[in-house]
Amino acid sequence: MIKASDFGDDFLWGIAVAAAQIEGAPDKYGKGPSIWDTFSKKPGKACDFYHRFRDDLAFVKLLNFKVFRFSISWPRLLPFGSGLINQEGIKFYHEVIDECLRLGITPYITLYHWDLPEALEQEGGWASFSVNGAFNSFVELCGQEYGDKVKNWIVINEPFGFTSLGYMLGIHAPGQTGLTNFFSAVHHAAIAQADGGRILRSEVRNANIGTTFSCSEIIPFTESDADHLAAKRMDSLVNRLFIEPVLGMGYPTADWELLEKFAIKHSTWRHTERLTFDFDYIGLQNYFPLTIRYSPFVPILQAWEVKAKSRKKSFTAMGWEVNADSFYNIIKQFAAYPKIKQLMITENGAAYKDVVAPKGRIHDQERIAYFEAYLTALLKVKNEGIKITGYMAWTLMDNFEWAEGFDKRFGLIYTDFKTQERTIKDSGYWFRDFLSQ
Ligand code: BGC
């Protein structure tokens, strides 16, 4: 049985959350609307972290996590995206940071976890270059305001996630679709991640600056050449699109020439120096692998996912394959970039249908098995000498799971969304014990 001490004394153990998923108070205390408030049409109370953050941070402490990763809601600080500053918002995050520090918990701030101010979406959102100036002033404000207290930063959460789901497929906010929007959004997000790094470097003394990427091992369905090539195209899109420009390698067009053609046709997509930044660490977020086969029916990509269910593999409530070997493999894939200095796992976790048993206990054995398997794989990579400095579990408590609403539960703590009552699940107790050994 593995224990936290196997990872060494310096290894950082954290828990991650995001503003739009937990704060609530979407239209209170001076906050402006975000694209998610508009898109979900019923801005809800989420987890009411805004009012309960002291109790919630007490849970972080109780479960023995040393790091708390949270995001700042851009429209809470800048209700119109830029310009007017909401002092109540500024004060709120000072209070969250101060409470972390009081409890001996290290705060990690994510600057952008998907809640773009609606005012900026009205100007085209991430598909418009004007977002970059506004983003930079937001980063500058955060760095100046919190940089004395907070040294650990994450510029952007999963740029591939919000550009593909929100600007190509239209299933996440703001619900835009099409390749023109997508490629434009990709380019502006790529600029933002590097610009954000530079601004933090100049504003925050001794900052430890990272940014995060979603990643999935891409497994060809069969040994055929067609499936292998389809898998390579998918890998360029899912895993390489944002990391390679940061590292000065340009966009990954070698394995997928069409990417370049379309990108250039649809936007001002060019690799420039501005896309590169020397991050102190790269955050990897992994949940599942993707098994891919060639499909002539999918335009451009000509690749299709073969779902875990149809392959009779075990999967979570999201339909995502449980496969710890793929976690090992994708970490190795990223570790092979010589310019990455350090890796950190900034999200990993699983949704299951949690049932409240008598006496209010939640026996989420499947989630515990998931964490045990994934952490065992992580230890294996780490023991091979790969520089991984920490692990953050997703997530503290059940919350607003984007397009899934409140249905899918990822928390170590069960949230009763009617009463806001929190109940620690068995997986939460499992972490508490794991982290104390
Ligand atoms: C996102 C989280 C999300 C989680 C589970 C990650 O891609 O950063 O906000 O809740 O996946 O879907």
Side-chain angles (χ1 to χ4, degrees):
M1 194 65 94
I2 53 165
K3 30 188 199 330
S5 55
D6 296 339
F7 289 76
D9 292 346
D10 297 340
F11 198 78
L12 292 168
W13 292 97
I15 188 96
V17 300
Q21 296 181 272
I22 61 163
E23 279 183 8
D27 49 6
K28 294 211 173 72
Y29 316 111
K31 177 178 169 293
S34 79
I35 52 173
W36 273 97
D37 297 326
T38 313
F39 187 74
S40 58
K41 291 195 187 74
K42 39 171 190 209
K45 289 186 72 171
C47 298
D48 199 27
F49 178 79
Y50 191 92
H51 296 108
R52 296 164 195 260
F53 71 89
R54 287 181 211 282
D55 292 347
D56 289 336
L57 288 170
F59 279 122
V60 175
K61 177 95 184 159
L62 184 78
L63 299 188
N64 286 327
F65 288 103
K66 297 282 183 292
V67 167
F68 182 61
R69 173 189 167 201
F70 66 99
S71 74
I72 291 186
S73 160
W74 182 352
R76 195 176 290 290
L77 293 199
L78 297 160
F80 304 103
S82 59
L84 180 85
I85 297 171
N86 173 30
Q87 292 303 333
E88 266 187 282
I90 297 274
K91 183 166 147 261
F92 171 65
Y93 295 107
H94 271 299
E95 286 174 0
V96 172
I97 293 164
D98 291 345
E99 186 65 5
C100 285
L101 298 177
R102 193 183 72 78
L103 293 170
I105 294 168
T106 306
Y108 270 61
I109 290 185
T110 311
L111 288 169
Y112 185 72
H113 202 131
W114 302 359
D115 47 355
L116 186 74
E118 176 60 32
L120 296 177
E121 183 54 30
Q122 296 305 316
E123 296 169 17
W126 284 100
S128 159
F129 182 57
S130 59
V131 76
N132 287 101
F135 181 72
N136 290 354
S137 56
F138 167 58
V139 177
E140 193 180 49
L141 172 67
C142 293
Q144 286 174 354
E145 195 58 50
Y146 306 118
D148 285 347
K149 297 176 183 172
V150 178
K151 297 298 168 194
N152 298 286
W153 297 80
I154 290 171
V155 178
I156 287 187
N157 183 72
E158 296 190 359
F160 180 68
F162 74 85
T163 53
S164 62
L165 300 170
Y167 286 85
M168 178 168 59
L169 301 173
I171 50 182
H172 271 200
Q176 291 196 37
T177 52
L179 285 174
T180 310
N181 286 327
F182 172 62
F183 284 128
S184 303
V186 165
H187 193 52
H188 301 137
I191 293 173
Q193 68 189 4
D195 276 2
R198 275 183 288 272
I199 293 168
L200 288 173
R201 187 72 81 219
S202 76
E203 295 298 335
V204 182
R205 204 181 307 156
N206 300 326
N208 180 34
I209 306 169
T211 198
T212 75
F213 301 109
S214 50
C215 58
S216 286
E217 188 195 4
I218 308 291
I219 305 169
F221 184 51
T222 70
E223 284 305 313
S224 74
D225 284 354
D227 283 1
H228 270 270
L229 291 172
K232 280 196 161 184
R233 290 193 292 278
M234 191 61 103
D235 189 44
S236 304
L237 189 68
V238 169
N239 295 316
R240 300 171 53 196
L241 189 58
F242 285 94
I243 181 69
E244 296 196 359
V246 166
L247 300 177
M249 301 163 71
Y251 288 112
T253 51
D255 286 319
W256 188 18
E257 280 172 32
L258 265 184
L259 184 67
E260 188 160 63
K261 270 199 198 144
F262 274 89
I264 288 172
K265 187 166 152 224
H266 287 285
S267 71
T268 54
W269 226 54
R270 292 278 190 289
H271 177 70
T272 65
E273 275 296 298
R274 192 172 173 187
L275 304 185
T276 69
F277 179 71
D278 192 18
F279 281 102
D280 298 316
Y281 66 98
I282 292 297
L284 294 183
Q285 321 209 139
N286 175 260
Y287 290 87
F288 52 84
L290 290 169
T291 294
I292 296 300
R293 72 182 307 175
Y294 168 69
S295 165
F297 304 110
V298 180
I300 302 158
L301 194 57
Q302 302 201 307
W304 188 252
E305 186 196 352
V306 189
K307 296 272 186 203
K309 191 174 177 184
S310 69
R311 287 178 293 112
K312 307 210 165 19
K313 298 284 182 191
S314 85
F315 55 91
T316 69
M318 297 290 278
W320 295 346
E321 180 175 341
V322 179
N323 180 340
D325 290 344
S326 78
F327 186 43
Y328 170 90
N329 290 337
I330 195 67
I331 295 171
K332 295 272 283 208
Q333 180 174 328
F334 273 77
Y337 288 112
K339 282 197 177 162
I340 294 185
K341 292 180 185 158
Q342 284 183 1
L343 291 172
M344 184 155 191
I345 305 304
T346 39
E347 275 186 36
N348 170 244
Y352 284 106
K353 282 208 177 347
D354 295 320
V355 179
V356 184
K359 298 197 183 135
R361 293 295 299 267
I362 293 116
H363 302 302
D364 55 339
Q365 200 48 47
E366 289 171 300
R367 188 175 286 107
I368 294 173
Y370 179 99
F371 281 122
E372 275 180 333
Y374 275 66
L375 288 172
T376 303
L378 182 64
L379 183 59
K380 190 171 154 208
V381 207
K382 189 171 183 294
N383 285 344
E384 287 175 18
I386 289 172
K387 210 149 176 14
I388 300 180
T389 53
Y391 173 93
M392 300 182 191
W394 183 265
T395 182
L396 183 61
M397 60 208 155
D398 302 332
N399 58 37
F400 175 66
E401 177 50 34
W402 308 116
E404 311 287 334
F406 294 96
D407 267 8
K408 300 289 186 279
R409 296 177 173 273
F410 277 88
L412 301 184
I413 296 175
Y414 185 91
T415 308
D416 179 328
F417 293 108
K418 287 203 187 84
T419 61
Q420 293 301 341
E421 194 188 336
R422 274 71 156 145
T423 307
I424 301 175
K425 302 179 191 177
D426 284 1
S427 57
Y429 291 116
W430 181 86
F431 258 107
R432 181 197 62 184
D433 298 343
F434 170 82
L435 295 176
S436 69
Q437 291 161 18

